[in-house]
Amino acid sequence: YTRTVPTTDGNTSEFLQTNGSGVLTWADAGGGSLTLISTQTASSASTLTFTSSHITSTYKIYELHCIDVVQSSDGGNLGFQVSPDNGSNYVTSGYLNIRFYSNQTNGANSILSSAGTGDTNVKICGAGEGIGANGNESAQSIITLFNPLGAKAKFFKSDGVQLNQSGQLSMQRILTGLDQSATYNNIKLAPNAGTFSGTFILYGV
């Protein structure tokens, strides 16, 4: 049983535990929860940024939830670049990637894939299966940012589902890495063409 009301010690998420002899006590639930940091809405935007006030040393892992993403250019893709200096400069090359994607018209157990060593950004959605811009076509995606302020290589994982530019249900998993030790405190979202719209929610894990 879990309660989410404030307790006398200020904790708002605890669980009821037993010591094996019938004695029940409240204990801290621990990690695993998402803490809302920022929600931003793009409407026919060319870029959208999360800054150093959002990406701090408070969390080792961040999740970016992308909801109802559409682009003005049918079949496009959306991605982000990282910045070491809160937006004065962005990394524009050297993104390593492995990509898996498929849609409902592919044969059974058919997963397409590709890989590269010199991409220009972290792909969020639409790579391989372009984002649709007509009717109900849209993309949804969750991106995990692993320790962007750490001193080792940086890693990102994108998992998405969408109705693509052909109105087909499609999926994507995109793994991205940067072989760089620099710390990154800012990300800039941008489409490969045109403008984009959607809701973007950043959480600390």
Side-chain angles (χ1 to χ4, degrees):
Y1 176 75
T2 301
R3 65 176 176 181
T4 56
V5 295
T7 61
T8 55
D9 61 3
N11 293 316
T12 58
S13 182
E14 299 186 333
F15 68 93
L16 195 60
Q17 68 177 6
T18 177
N19 66 357
S21 301
V23 178
L24 300 175
T25 58
W26 289 104
D28 292 346
S33 62
L34 300 178
T35 300
L36 176 62
I37 296 173
S38 177
T39 298
Q40 297 193 51
T41 300
S43 179
S44 298
S46 56
T47 63
L48 184 149
T49 59
F50 290 92
T51 69
S52 60
S53 64
H54 305 125
I55 301 173
T56 69
S57 59
T58 302
Y59 302 100
K60 296 289 187 183
I61 298 176
Y62 290 84
E63 279 192 8
L64 178 62
H65 293 210
C66 308
I67 312 299
D68 294 338
V69 178
V70 295
Q71 280 189 222
S72 59
S73 298
D74 198 33
N77 65 71
L78 182 67
F80 68 75
Q81 295 174 334
V82 298
S83 170
D85 48 20
N86 197 28
S88 295
N89 299 279
Y90 287 93
V91 178
T92 59
S93 63
Y95 294 88
L96 315 174
N97 70 81
I98 302 173
R99 184 175 64 195
F100 305 93
Y101 56 98
S102 188
N103 65 53
Q104 69 186 72
T105 65
N106 294 141
N109 302 317
S110 176
I111 301 293
L112 306 176
S113 65
S114 66
T117 59
D119 212 345
T120 59
N121 59 8
V122 177
K123 293 295 187 294
I124 293 175
C125 51
E129 293 284 328
I131 299 173
N134 303 306
N136 293 319
E137 293 173 355
S138 62
Q140 324 289 329
S141 188
I142 297 177
I143 296 86
T144 305
L145 295 78
F146 297 96
N147 202 14
L149 293 176
K152 299 293 185 181
K154 307 305 181 293
F155 299 101
F156 312 89
K157 181 181 70 172
S158 304
D159 286 304
V161 61
Q162 63 189 19
L163 289 181
N164 65 19
Q165 73 272 20
S166 300
Q168 302 162 338
L169 178 66
S170 65
M171 57 75 64
Q172 298 170 313
R173 167 163 282 192
I174 307 168
L175 309 175
T176 307
L178 269 176
D179 186 9
Q180 299 182 10
S181 60
T183 59
Y184 298 109
N185 60 4
N186 178 300
I187 62 174
K188 178 177 68 175
L189 285 68
N192 66 327
T195 61
F196 71 103
S197 301
T199 300
F200 301 88
I201 310 170
L202 184 66
Y203 296 93
V205 181

